Amino acid sequence: MSLSLDRLVGDDADVLADRDFRMLLLASLISPMGASVVSPVVESLTGPYGVSTAEAALLLSAFTAPGIVLIPLSGVLADRYGRKPVLVSGLALFGLAGVALTLTTDFRVALGLRLLQGVGYTGIGPILITATGDLFSGARESAAQGVRFTAVGASLTVFPFLAGLLVAFAWQYPFALYAAALPVAAVVWLRFEEPAALGQGDTADGDASATDGDAAGSGGERGDGRGGVRTLLALASDPRVAATLVGRAVPGFLWFGFLTYNSIVVVRLLGGTPSAAGALVAVASVSSAVATTQAGRITARFGRPAPTFAALVVAAGGLAGLALAPSVPVALAAGVPVGAGFSVSLTLYRSALTGLASDDTRGGLVSLGESIGRLGSTGAPVAMGAAVALLADAAGYAAAVRTVSVAVAVGVVAVGGTLLLVGDMGVDADGEPTATAAND
């Protein structure tokens, strides 16, 4: 088993020996369910809720919207009180609100419950990224983020497919899958231990992470709210760091565009079934899981900027391929580049942000990046829906969906490439901090 992991992940496969990291992997199985369970069944929910497809897609935006405001708060709380209380609370709220969706056909109530789920998520995804950065640094951290994303990919392989199957029996059944978050919350509470020496500038594997001068000078005490905020704002105001933060939104915009329209393309435009739409998300997720195992090797050999841009190009090509697919099998094949490109670009962005801050500001910077990423995720269904509605009268619904999806693919490459040119991805090809990460 160890030899197989070494071949797949590289020399840093031993990150799996860390018990706390294994707890983070368990929680990572839950983190993508907020969107992945709903995505394959968007078209199927229009009847029970009595809404249009565009309105049903708001269930995705309602989930992502709270993160725009609350993710930075979760980062501050995690830096002040620890990762575990925030993570466990997030898992519990996420699971309870999700299960409650089985009890109502009122669309307004469903949107409210999705908002509550989104609040819960703000204590899950960003904290998992931050805690992984606490445990490891350098290429090992990139490898660990990749392995964690592989766990996310495994979840995305199973739960969307199950949702697509379950909705054929009853519209409520997919939402029952959210109950899985509750036992995971209990296990994490009992078994996860906070990384030692948080706020002292050391990672759990003994290597110094990239430090921030002001944070080091502040005495390194977790919970120094005013000093931490000033340090975080100073770091985020650097144009290169700011470009990296904004760039974090690009993969999410593309992915949520895919999640919003995959069931519409498969079911409405190509005459497929909800289970086929779930299979498309599963295909993308398998590709995602496999691709992210290589994040450590990619970082060690090529650095981050060039691979990140290449991954965005691959993902954009997949989205355009889905939009133009003439049949369900071709649409399924398009899921491969979408998943691989999205996961690699997102993993490298997240890894870059964890390396641009000290232990005392990592939670805040990562959470700020996740909040900005949520802007992209929330905006994709709304912006694409508005553009489709605008074009549908003149060109027809099918042509509008395809045109807007291709335009998004082109925009992702153009905007993502520009931000990468301006930004600082944190390490060079040898895995060493760049000037911004080392000196700011």
Side-chain angles (χ1 to χ4, degrees):
M1 179 69 173
S2 177
L3 183 59
S4 298
L5 287 171
D6 287 344
R7 288 183 182 143
L8 185 61
V9 179
D11 295 338
D12 297 316
D14 63 340
V15 295
L16 286 168
D18 188 292
R19 189 189 72 174
D20 290 326
F21 182 57
R22 292 197 298 270
M23 293 298 99
L24 299 181
L25 292 181
L26 179 63
S28 294
L29 296 175
I30 303 300
S31 65
M33 289 177 62
S36 67
V37 167
V38 174
S39 170
V41 301
V42 166
E43 185 72 18
S44 302
L45 294 174
T46 56
Y49 288 130
V51 296
S52 67
T53 302
E55 289 171 318
L58 293 177
L59 290 168
L60 292 169
S61 293
F63 171 72
T64 58
I68 297 172
V69 176
L70 295 180
I71 283 178
L73 176 61
S74 75
V76 171
L77 291 174
D79 284 339
R80 185 176 181 88
Y81 298 109
R83 317 309 190 202
K84 183 163 75 170
V86 178
L87 177 57
V88 172
S89 299
L91 286 166
L93 179 59
F94 178 88
L96 290 171
V99 172
L101 285 163
T102 64
L103 304 177
T104 182
T105 56
D106 188 317
F107 187 63
R108 291 171 296 180
V109 173
L111 286 176
L113 290 171
R114 288 290 284 168
L115 284 168
L116 281 177
Q117 270 200 299
V119 173
Y121 176 84
T122 64
I124 304 174
I127 306 308
L128 293 173
I129 301 163
T130 302
T132 302
D134 293 334
L135 294 172
F136 309 105
S137 65
R140 282 170 61 77
E141 191 269 343
S142 292
Q145 296 288 8
V147 171
R148 197 190 65 78
F149 211 116
T150 299
V152 170
S155 172
L156 286 168
T157 301
V158 175
F159 289 110
F161 186 67
L162 286 178
L165 291 176
L166 290 172
V167 77
F169 296 96
W171 68 268
Q172 303 101 321
Y173 286 2
F175 298 132
L177 295 171
Y178 289 125
L182 301 178
V184 171
V187 172
V188 172
W189 177 254
L190 293 172
R191 301 297 302 274
F192 181 73
E193 296 181 5
E194 294 283 358
L198 266 177
Q200 304 303 314
D202 297 327
T203 57
D205 62 351
D207 295 326
S209 63
T211 58
D212 180 275
D214 292 335
S218 69
E221 294 182 3
R222 188 172 63 183
D224 181 5
R226 289 175 298 175
V229 170
R230 286 197 299 268
T231 301
L232 178 61
L233 291 176
L235 181 62
S237 65
D238 183 290
R240 293 168 295 172
V241 177
T244 304
L245 286 166
V246 174
R248 164 64 185 84
V250 175
F253 191 97
L254 183 144
W255 180 246
F256 269 75
F258 166 75
L259 290 179
T260 302
Y261 283 93
N262 80 87
S263 66
I264 294 170
V265 170
V266 170
V267 177
R268 180 176 293 195
L269 304 191
L270 300 178
T273 63
S275 61
L280 172 57
V281 179
V283 167
S285 303
V286 170
S287 174
S288 166
V290 173
T292 49
T293 62
Q294 304 305 306
R297 285 173 169 164
I298 290 170
T299 302
R301 183 167 183 179
F302 301 107
R304 292 194 181 107
T308 302
F309 180 70
L312 289 175
V313 171
V314 169
L319 180 62
L322 170 64
L324 302 175
S327 64
V328 172
V330 175
L332 290 174
V336 175
V338 170
F342 162 72
S343 64
V344 171
S345 60
L346 182 60
T347 298
L348 294 181
Y349 261 115
R350 283 173 164 171
S351 183
L353 289 173
T354 64
L356 285 169
S358 69
D359 288 340
D360 295 328
T361 56
R362 183 175 295 117
L365 187 67
V366 168
S367 294
L368 182 58
E370 292 301 292
S371 179
I372 292 171
R374 276 337 225 189
L375 278 171
S377 301
T378 303
V382 176
M384 292 179 71
V388 167
L390 187 64
L391 292 176
D393 289 339
Y397 186 76
V401 168
R402 292 186 171 110
T403 300
V404 170
S405 297
V406 171
V408 167
V410 173
V412 161
V413 173
V415 174
T418 300
L419 290 170
L420 283 167
L421 285 175
V422 177
D424 187 340
M425 292 295 284
V427 299
D428 60 23
D430 297 321
E432 297 299 323
T434 58
T436 299
N439 298 325
D440 285 352

